[in-house]
Amino acid sequence: MMQTQPFEKHVWAEIDLEALRHNFRAVKARAGALPLCAVVKADSYGHGAVQCARVFAEEGAAWLAVSCLTEAVQLRKGGLTLPILVLGHVQDKDGQKMSKHKGNVVDPWTVLDNQGADAVRWYFYTGSMPWLPSRFSAEAVSEAQRKFMGTLWNTYAFYILYADIDGFDPTKHALREEALTPMDKWVLSRLNTLVKTVDESLASLHITEAGRALSAFTDELSNWYVRRCRERYWGKEMTADKEAAYMTLFTVLKTMALLSAPFTPFMAEEIYQNLVRTVDASAPESVHLCDFPAVNEAMVDPELEAHMAEALEIVVLGRAARNAANVKNRQPLSTMYVQGAELPPMFVSIVADELNVKQVEFVADASAFISYKVKPQLKTLGPRYGKVLPKINAYLQGEGVGDLVVAAHKAGKNYEFDLDGVAVSLAEADVLTEPMQKAGFVSQTEHELSVVLDTNLTEALIEEGFVRELISKVQTMRKEAGFEVTDHIALTYAGSARIAEIFAAHGADIAADTLADSVMAGEAKGYTKEWDVNGEHVALGVEKQ
């Protein structure tokens, strides 16, 4: 990379452009086939910038970077046709110009020491478009770091943890299509779509878009693919399904290391060295010596991606509905109704399992599960009905009236009634509509998509909820006690009569999910902890066997 120093206008004539040309050629020779970007800092008139930029263009620079729009305009007027990237100013967290006088200057070395160079690079790449001012703060860098770098690193750490336990060597296995699950095929399709998006975005200097695409995919990888597939890594035997899970995640992580290398070079190198070089000595010595990934069009399935995206939208609304009803995800529910979407059975089962509902029904109209409250629109009804308006409002608050009004409007009709001899006709624009929850149901709506959860609980559902809560508590205690994921335990418990009933009926299921070789009632032993499980007190104890 070549950057000129800022000169006053009268000094531009003294610049040795041939020396500049010679220096750029030297840099280009060292760079080999790598494209070069020339950073130009011009004076307010842009005179010297045009001269220097012409040298860079003649010597084969791929594009130019300048610090303000004025410079870009001057270069265009000077006849430069190279792509020009305009860089905005760095401001403080409140959007103010940094100044020692104001005391708002951020010491870059402090941020580099605390958050690291990769985090700073990532923040500038994805925080805003390059030509817009950047609001810089250590907190903003940390947040950007957490969302992408932290999530990718945790996903990589998950793979390494289980690969080490199983002694998995990806060079001794293959990614066999016939063994791939729908989730595997989806994430590999999304990966190749991502490769194409990032490659095309970088080629057109859309750096921010490329970075944000990487971040969005990493979130889906961690919070959807790994979340849905983590149990596949828990089995003792290396089954075809477990092999497919390992090879899929290895392929994704290796490709992500290559894709992220231009953005976060140090983290990408760390992942690549431990993920690839430790098992394949013939691999390129560095991630930065690898070829950039190429899209495999055979792996791209737009229909699969579209269905999964729709399933994800339903899941997001379903989670929001659970939160609104204050019902934990570990508590099974009987039914979820969906309006505005239709999914193949394979995706329906994924949605049902993720939201812990027994069945998912797609309906044309979910209004039967939603009540409505309506109020008069004063702007339209005031001039028409005047003094009668308070009585209209009182009438609309009647039990079930809101539902009738909405039903009439959905049928394309006005809602009409007689009030003290006055004929009232309400169009859809004449009322303000507010959806209300019906007892035993909770709904969430986003654009044309609506989901409704039936929150009525049977005794069987309540009992299953207890089982899931107890399993979760034991798993938490295993982790707190420092047990390895493969360690078997002895589980003891002492609690209420209700807890004793749950263990008596479902002790085998709890043992199977927690690697407990024995489940015994009595005094809690080993690492112990007291819990409140759905209002019932229990003391649990875990001991490594």
Side-chain angles (χ1 to χ4, degrees):
M1 182 177 292
M2 177 66 64
Q3 180 173 0
T4 66
Q5 295 298 318
F7 292 91
E8 295 298 332
K9 182 185 177 185
H10 66 275
V11 182
W12 278 113
E14 302 173 12
I15 296 178
D16 189 340
L17 296 179
E18 287 307 312
L20 183 64
R21 188 185 304 275
H22 174 78
N23 290 337
F24 188 81
R25 287 176 179 174
V27 173
K28 185 178 178 182
R30 292 197 299 271
L34 294 175
L36 293 180
C37 167
V39 180
V40 178
K41 182 67 180 76
D43 65 348
S44 59
Y45 297 94
H47 175 70
V50 174
Q51 295 185 43
C52 293
R54 282 177 178 166
V55 171
F56 295 140
E58 291 168 1
E59 294 302 324
W63 64 85
L64 300 174
V66 298
S67 60
C68 70
L69 187 59
T70 301
E71 295 173 4
V73 172
Q74 291 293 340
L75 293 177
R76 281 284 180 257
K77 287 183 177 179
L80 266 296
T81 58
L82 282 179
I84 298 176
L85 189 63
V86 181
L87 304 178
H89 293 288
V90 179
Q91 301 173 339
D92 71 3
K93 62 181 180 179
D94 299 318
Q96 299 296 315
K97 180 181 178 181
M98 289 191 187
S99 167
K100 291 182 179 180
H101 175 71
K102 295 181 179 179
N104 62 347
V105 175
V106 177
D107 180 7
W109 291 110
T110 301
V111 181
L112 289 170
D113 290 339
N114 293 334
Q115 281 88 1
D118 275 356
V120 174
R121 289 169 64 99
W122 181 254
Y123 168 76
F124 279 118
Y125 284 142
T126 61
S128 63
M129 297 301 178
W131 54 87
L132 297 177
S134 299
R135 295 192 175 192
F136 186 84
S137 68
E139 294 76 16
V141 174
S142 294
E143 179 67 9
Q145 179 186 41
R146 180 189 63 81
K147 286 184 176 180
F148 170 67
M149 296 176 62
T151 303
L152 180 58
W153 186 267
N154 289 338
T155 306
Y156 151 75
F158 172 87
Y159 170 86
I160 293 298
L161 172 66
Y162 286 98
D164 284 347
I165 291 173
D166 287 324
F168 182 78
D169 183 348
T171 63
K172 298 177 180 178
H173 299 268
L175 189 67
R176 294 183 292 110
E177 186 174 357
E178 64 272 15
L180 299 179
T181 66
M183 289 298 295
D184 296 333
K185 293 178 180 179
W186 166 76
V187 78
L188 291 171
S189 178
R190 281 284 292 116
L191 177 68
N192 280 277
T193 299
L194 176 71
V195 169
K196 184 176 183 180
T197 299
V198 172
D199 194 16
E200 292 178 350
S201 295
L202 292 180
S204 57
L205 301 184
H206 293 164
I207 301 169
T208 304
E209 292 87 336
R212 290 177 179 177
L214 281 168
S215 184
F217 174 81
T218 302
D219 180 69
E220 292 177 1
L221 173 67
S222 174
N223 297 315
W224 187 238
Y225 177 76
V226 173
R227 175 187 171 89
R228 294 291 311 154
C229 298
R230 59 191 172 196
E231 294 184 7
R232 298 167 66 190
Y233 303 88
W234 294 351
K236 294 181 180 180
E237 304 298 325
M238 185 56 67
T239 62
D241 179 63
K242 190 174 184 180
E243 178 189 41
Y246 269 123
M247 287 305 300
T248 298
L249 191 52
F250 171 80
T251 301
V252 173
L253 288 171
K254 179 183 177 182
T255 306
M256 284 298 294
L258 301 181
L259 286 175
S260 62
F263 298 87
T264 53
F266 298 107
M267 184 179 74
E269 184 70 16
E270 181 75 15
I271 292 175
Y272 176 81
Q273 290 297 329
N274 196 35
L275 185 75
V276 180
R277 288 278 293 170
T278 54
V279 295
D280 184 6
S282 65
E285 189 175 351
S286 167
V287 68
H288 304 293
L289 297 177
C290 297
D291 290 336
F292 197 77
V295 61
N296 182 355
E297 296 287 358
M299 298 292 290
V300 178
D301 187 338
E303 185 177 28
L304 175 63
E305 291 187 39
H307 284 316
M308 194 66 79
E310 201 163 27
L312 268 167
E313 290 178 3
I314 294 172
V315 166
V316 169
L317 286 182
R319 289 172 181 165
R322 274 187 172 273
N323 290 337
N326 197 25
V327 178
K328 295 179 180 178
N329 202 64
R330 286 189 287 272
Q331 173 59 62
L333 297 176
S334 62
T335 311
M336 180 174 72
Y337 303 93
V338 180
Q339 173 189 314
E342 192 78 39
L343 290 174
M346 175 180 70
F347 297 93
V348 174
S349 63
I350 291 174
V351 170
D353 185 62
E354 177 65 23
L355 291 174
N356 196 13
V357 296
K358 299 301 181 182
Q359 62 179 350
V360 178
E361 294 186 13
F362 294 92
V363 296
D365 186 3
S367 60
F369 309 103
I370 305 173
S371 293
Y372 293 94
K373 181 179 180 180
V374 295
K375 297 179 181 179
Q377 174 59 269
L378 301 181
K379 290 182 180 180
T380 60
L381 296 183
R384 286 157 51 190
Y385 296 104
K387 295 181 179 180
V388 185
L389 195 57
K391 293 184 178 181
I392 294 177
N393 183 40
Y395 174 85
L396 293 177
Q397 305 315 306
E399 183 70 26
V401 175
D403 296 343
L404 296 174
V405 174
V406 172
H409 292 161
K410 286 188 175 182
K413 302 176 182 178
N414 286 359
Y415 181 74
E416 299 177 345
F417 59 97
D418 186 82
L419 192 62
D420 294 342
V422 177
V424 179
S425 179
L426 302 179
E428 187 172 357
D430 293 330
V431 295
L432 302 173
T433 305
E434 180 183 355
M436 308 291 290
Q437 309 294 346
K438 277 191 176 180
F441 298 91
V442 61
S443 64
Q444 289 289 318
T445 300
E446 183 75 24
H447 303 302
E448 301 300 319
L449 182 65
S450 297
V451 301
V452 180
L453 288 176
D454 182 348
T455 57
N456 297 290
L457 299 178
T458 64
E459 183 59 31
L461 290 172
I462 294 173
E463 196 165 291
E464 188 177 342
F466 269 101
V467 172
R468 289 184 176 239
E469 286 289 347
L470 287 168
I471 290 172
S472 174
K473 301 300 185 278
V474 175
Q475 298 288 30
T476 298
M477 292 177 64
R478 285 177 56 99
K479 185 175 181 180
E480 291 176 349
F483 297 165
E484 299 292 338
V485 293
T486 56
D487 287 341
H488 285 241
I489 63 169
L491 174 62
T492 51
Y493 68 92
S496 66
R498 180 63 162 149
I499 293 295
E501 292 174 359
I502 299 298
F503 270 105
H506 303 282
D509 295 331
I510 296 172
D513 283 355
T514 59
L515 294 184
D517 294 338
S518 63
V519 180
M520 300 291 293
E523 182 183 357
K525 299 177 181 179
Y527 176 71
T528 64
K529 197 168 185 178
E530 295 188 359
W531 298 93
D532 182 311
V533 178
N534 296 340
E536 300 288 339
H537 176 266
V538 60
L540 299 174
V542 294
E543 291 181 289
K544 186 163 64 173
Q545 295 294 88

